[in-house]
């Protein structure tokens, strides 16, 4: 269960490496892009390739993960809602 910022970041990186296995991405989780909510963490990430070149095709379109504190697998938020609204709705359902 990710109970700290570092654990949430680690869980996000593990998920990304598994989800994008075989893809040409080297993921990074920059400091300052992880936010704590009541039941989840949101973890922003990018790729070294995108950061080095600025080329948007060198990174996934969505570059944030939701990492539940209960140990459930990380997941990408729905993109139809602003992140804060998505998290609020997610937490209201729990």
């Amino acid at each position: 269960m990710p109970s700290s910022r570092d654990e949430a970041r680690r869980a996000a990186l593990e998920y990304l490496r598994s989800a994008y296995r075989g893809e040409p991405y080297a993921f990074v989780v920059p400091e300052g892009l992880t936010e704590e909510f009541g039941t989840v963490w949101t973890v922003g990430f990018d790729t070294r390739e995108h950061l080095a070149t600025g080329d948007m095709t060198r990174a996934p379109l969505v570059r944030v993960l939701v990492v539940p504190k209960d140990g459930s697998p990380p997941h990408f938020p729905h993109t139809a809602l602003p992140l804060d609204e998505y998290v609020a709705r997610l937490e209201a359902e729990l």
Side-chain angles (χ1 to χ4, degrees):
M1 286 204 251
S3 58
S4 73
R5 184 174 309 276
D6 287 340
E7 289 172 353
R9 293 174 73 222
R10 193 170 23 259
L13 274 174
E14 288 173 12
Y15 176 82
L16 290 166
R17 289 177 181 145
S18 175
Y20 287 95
R21 185 175 298 128
E23 296 293 329
Y25 296 132
F27 291 103
V28 294
V29 179
E31 291 289 330
L33 296 183
T34 302
E35 187 172 351
E36 184 175 16
F37 292 87
T39 60
V40 300
W41 295 88
T42 57
V43 180
F45 65 92
D46 211 325
T47 65
R48 286 193 182 125
E49 298 79 9
H50 173 244
L51 292 172
T53 66
D55 183 350
M56 292 299 293
T57 66
R58 307 286 308 263
L61 181 61
V62 176
R63 291 188 305 273
V64 65
L65 278 174
V66 176
V67 180
K69 291 181 178 179
D70 69 1
S72 299
H75 65 274
F76 291 99
H78 296 285
T79 58
L81 299 172
L83 184 58
D84 288 345
E85 187 177 336
Y86 173 78
V87 169
R89 287 183 181 198
L90 182 66
E91 290 192 322
E93 292 174 4
L94 300 176

